[in-house]
Amino acid sequence: MGMTIAEKILAKKSGQAKVGPGDLVTVEVDTVVLIDNSFTASRWREILKVRDPDRIVVVFDHRVPASTTDSAEAHGTGRRFVEKFGIRRFHDVGYSQGISHQLVADHGYALPGSVLVCSDSHTCSAGVFNCIARGVGEPDVVYSAIKGETWFRVGETVRYELGGKLSRAVTAKDAFLQISGEHGDHATQNVEFGGPGVASLSIPARKTLTTMGAELSAEFATFEADEVMEEWLRARNPRPFESVCPDKDARYAAVRKVDLSALEPLVALPDSVIRNSRPVAEAAGTRIDQAFIGSCANGTLDDLALAAAVLNGQRVASTVRLIITPGSQHIYREAAKQGIIATLAEAGAVVTPSTCGACGGGHLGLLGPNETCITASTRNFKGRMGDPSARIYMGSPATVAASAIRGSITDPRDFLS
Amino acid sequence: MKFQGRVWIVGDNINTDLILPSAAFYLKPEEQVRYVFSANRPGWADEVKPGDILIGGKNFGMGSSRPAARSLKNLGLSCLLAPYINGLFFRNCVNFAFPAVECPGVDEAFEEGDIAEVDFERAAVKNVTRGTALAGKPMPPKLLALVQAGGIYPLLEKEGLIAPRAERR
Ligand code: SF4
């Protein structure tokens, strides 16, 4: 019996010929990403020795620029750590800053067949590059930075065979909402994406799917490699790599087909994305106070361009705050060069510097009691974006932009034919 | 490790934002515990007594990587039982040495207030009140050893790889 992509990488990295569901493996870690939250005084433990500073990436993203003296202090602790160990891949507030998972894509930090860990649940995002990436705890990240290894439980794998092609107003976010709505969580399981439909999806679109793997509670979310992915990486990282294919006789817990052509815009109702998706029409007309486009799932250049296509020549309803946050400062600059930022601002959107910001409810753009928000970000838990009584709907950047114009949840096809 | 205590029951899909809300992020760990379940069970944290046992539902602890398992431990709970625990949360239970047992059916086998007896190493669970017993999944030896060592930080501290915790504020 053969192995899935995740199993093959876990086997290789643990020095074994074969691994399978139920195994516990100790693997070598290629990349350790530390974020600003980890340096918070109540959480940080000072590291005295690291295995290899060139395997470490340090990113400030959750509270940028610093929102409180506590977060400013955390940034200071992070800077001292970077200096002490001579870490070169450091993304401080300014030119090279961004959300960690976006920066991993912007810089090609995750190569096929490699293992990447970070103390943030959406680390599975990097699986778009045919690798094993997982959100772990802070102690795990500290351990990996020091010892260069970590442990994983091997789960079974569910494979999604993508076919067809998305239509203009339908996005990878809708494809995710289709999966989470129909199949529920994937706790203890790996998710593998492949099939002929992959070719029609850009890397940012694929990355939306892997990033949202965290919301499925998946162990790993991994894409099959193709030329598009390999080109993306070669343009950003000179190191050689070898892509990993699943074995022909790999064993899957399930193989499910998703016809991208047949999808329509969806929203998740408040509090969960698990079996909670509806066609936008069913929620249409729900009045909103805030609309948000951003995060490690939907702050890409594709996402901003799509929002601009909807908002071009329109004005955000006077009763709505539309907040748009690029995933990285690099994306911010690209969007500015292409006139996207101007279109968004002209429509009345507040375009913020890159940060987790409103997505994590830590600072910037919080929701007040009983407010309603529609978000193109990662998570709609109760209390996630501010007051626990606020209702958070989730949709694609197109759906959020259309809703911001009308002041109530709106099908993006009303604006994009 | 053996525990006996009164059980508290929470439902399926309890997420980390309910256990450790972002509003509590910058508080000292011992102050963060007052916020546990403040959104879905206000006042609960004050009722918990040291040694009580928490029974979660399916996929307990879904969500973020924040040290929410540490909050449950600091609250004085002796252990966590759930049919299955979210993978990331399970890691943090190991990391912070909060004994956690995956035990299919445990969410149905107790009513709140029942007394549970747990043999952590063997993953054996008893409902003392009702006189019933369940078999959970023992932790793999490598992870068990981490929990018994007190979690990752004490281990690294002992090896001189991280600095001793500095008392602050
Ligand atoms: S953007 Fe949101 S989901 Fe992504 S890392 Fe930041 S807080 Fe987490």
Side-chain angles (χ1 to χ4, degrees):
Chain A
M1 195 54 81
M3 291 187 283
T4 68
I5 297 175
E7 288 164 357
K8 277 175 103 163
I9 300 174
L10 291 171
K12 180 147 190 237
K13 288 293 182 173
S14 63
Q16 298 178 85
K18 191 161 168 44
V19 300
D23 292 350
L24 185 91
V25 296
T26 300
V27 297
E28 180 198 354
V29 176
D30 299 281
T31 312
V32 182
V33 183
L34 282 99
I35 55 175
D36 52 0
N37 272 355
S38 302
F39 297 103
T40 303
S42 67
R43 292 152 79 159
W44 177 245
R45 295 298 303 267
E46 194 195 344
I47 294 178
L48 299 176
K49 193 187 140 208
V50 300
R51 165 87 191 284
D52 176 2
D54 287 338
R55 291 191 180 209
I56 296 176
V57 178
V58 177
V59 179
F60 296 166
D61 57 3
H62 277 67
R63 286 164 174 84
V64 173
S67 54
T68 61
T69 51
D70 290 296
S71 57
E73 183 188 4
H75 291 168
T77 304
R79 288 183 192 110
R80 283 193 296 280
F81 171 73
V82 163
E83 203 184 301
K84 177 170 172 188
F85 292 105
I87 290 159
R88 283 179 284 193
R89 296 185 293 182
F90 175 40
H91 299 271
D92 200 346
V93 185
Y95 187 85
S96 76
Q97 188 270 336
I99 301 170
S100 69
H101 317 308
Q102 184 61 51
L103 292 178
V104 165
D106 286 358
H107 294 270
Y109 285 155
L111 293 177
S114 70
V115 174
L116 179 148
V117 296
C118 167
S119 59
D120 182 276
S121 55
H122 293 90
T123 302
C124 47
S125 178
V128 65
F129 299 114
N130 190 236
C131 68
I132 284 298
R134 202 199 195 299
V136 295
E138 264 136 27
D140 289 307
V141 158
V142 168
Y143 189 93
S144 301
I146 293 173
K147 304 250 186 184
E149 61 173 45
T150 193
W151 58 268
F152 291 122
R153 297 198 286 190
V154 183
E156 47 185 20
T157 303
V158 174
R159 182 173 165 94
Y160 285 94
E161 280 280 325
L162 309 181
K165 190 173 181 300
L166 295 168
S167 47
R168 179 152 158 76
V170 180
T171 72
K173 192 56 159 291
D174 299 296
F176 164 77
L177 291 170
Q178 174 67 33
I179 290 170
S180 65
E182 190 175 339
H183 301 295
D185 80 60
H186 293 52
T188 74
Q189 297 177 317
N190 309 312
V191 174
E192 183 176 297
F193 294 101
V198 171
S200 72
L201 297 176
S202 68
I203 293 297
R206 298 177 199 180
K207 190 173 79 65
T208 299
L209 281 168
T210 51
T211 304
M212 295 305 290
E215 300 315 300
L216 299 175
S217 294
E219 288 291 309
F220 301 105
T222 309
F223 260 87
E224 261 184 37
D226 70 354
E227 259 309 302
V228 174
M229 183 211 79
E230 292 177 352
E231 277 304 308
W232 175 287
L233 290 174
R234 276 190 219 110
R236 290 166 171 79
N237 187 337
R239 286 198 215 161
F241 59 83
E242 211 177 307
S243 296
V244 182
C245 301
D247 290 328
K248 289 224 160 46
D249 57 347
R251 188 165 38 177
Y252 294 96
V255 178
R256 298 172 184 152
K257 285 197 171 16
V258 178
D259 180 2
L260 300 174
S261 314
L263 297 178
E264 56 175 338
L266 298 173
V267 288
L269 305 184
D271 296 348
S272 172
V273 297
I274 297 304
R275 299 192 192 279
N276 208 19
S277 304
R278 305 281 187 279
V280 172
E282 279 188 35
T286 305
R287 287 179 55 88
I288 56 166
D289 302 290
Q290 182 163 306
F292 175 59
I293 298 171
S295 85
C296 50
N298 283 119
T300 69
L301 196 57
D302 285 15
D303 293 317
L304 303 190
L306 182 62
V310 173
L311 288 160
N312 190 14
Q314 304 282 348
R315 192 46 78 79
V316 172
S318 60
T319 50
V320 173
R321 295 106 52 184
L322 171 60
I323 298 173
I324 302 185
T325 301
S328 66
Q329 289 301 98
H330 169 73
I331 289 172
Y332 191 114
R333 287 189 296 275
E334 283 304 305
K337 278 183 212 152
Q338 296 181 21
I340 293 168
I341 302 283
T343 302
L344 299 174
E346 199 58 46
V350 178
V351 183
T352 78
S354 179
T355 173
C356 290
C359 170
H363 76 110
L364 192 148
L366 272 72
L367 301 173
N370 300 311
E371 288 193 325
T372 301
C373 171
I374 183 162
T375 187
S377 59
T378 57
R379 197 164 265 171
N380 67 341
F381 292 168
K382 190 186 277 300
R384 167 73 176 179
M385 300 175 75
D387 194 87
S389 64
R391 288 170 299 275
I392 310 170
Y393 290 79
M394 185 186 291
S396 77
T399 302
V400 171
S403 304
I405 296 168
R406 291 262 171 85
S408 60
I409 294 178
T410 299
D411 192 317
R413 290 172 294 196
D414 292 1
F415 292 92
L416 294 169
S417 42
Chain B
M1 291 181 225
K2 294 204 172 52
F3 310 105
Q4 191 179 72
R6 179 178 62 150
V7 307
W8 295 97
I9 298 185
V10 287
D12 290 344
N13 299 316
I14 290 293
N15 67 58
T16 49
D17 297 48
L18 292 172
I19 305 170
L20 177 53
S22 52
F25 261 32
Y26 290 120
L27 300 176
K28 289 186 201 166
E30 57 277 19
E31 289 167 2
Q32 289 174 338
V33 302
R34 282 187 286 112
Y35 287 78
V36 177
F37 297 149
S38 55
N40 61 331
R41 251 184 119 155
W44 177 76
D46 296 327
E47 295 178 49
V48 174
K49 301 251 169 1
D52 285 357
I53 290 170
L54 184 66
I55 299 187
K58 296 178 184 67
N59 202 16
F60 183 88
M62 63 193 268
S64 93
S65 63
R66 64 190 68 179
R70 185 179 69 176
S71 291
L72 295 183
K73 185 179 180 176
N74 287 345
L75 196 54
L77 293 162
S78 64
C79 70
L80 166 70
L81 312 173
Y84 63 93
I85 297 169
N86 178 272
L88 178 47
F89 195 85
F90 181 81
R91 290 193 86 94
N92 274 328
C93 291
V94 174
N95 289 340
F96 292 105
F98 180 50
V101 179
E102 293 186 312
C103 181
V106 73
D107 48 340
E108 312 273 313
F110 285 83
E111 269 175 47
E112 194 156 280
D114 285 356
I115 302 295
E117 198 180 279
V118 180
D119 180 334
F120 174 58
E121 283 82 357
R122 287 176 47 237
V125 177
K126 263 191 217 152
N127 184 331
V128 176
T129 309
R130 296 202 219 172
T132 52
L134 287 106
K137 293 185 231 163
M139 246 188 213
K142 182 187 164 86
L143 305 187
L144 196 59
L146 267 172
V147 175
Q148 285 164 339
I152 286 192
Y153 288 149
L155 196 87
L156 292 174
E157 197 180 313
K158 220 162 108 197
E159 291 180 35
L161 297 167
I162 59 172
R165 177 174 276 302
E167 279 311 317
R168 64 186 296 284
R169 280 186 295 178

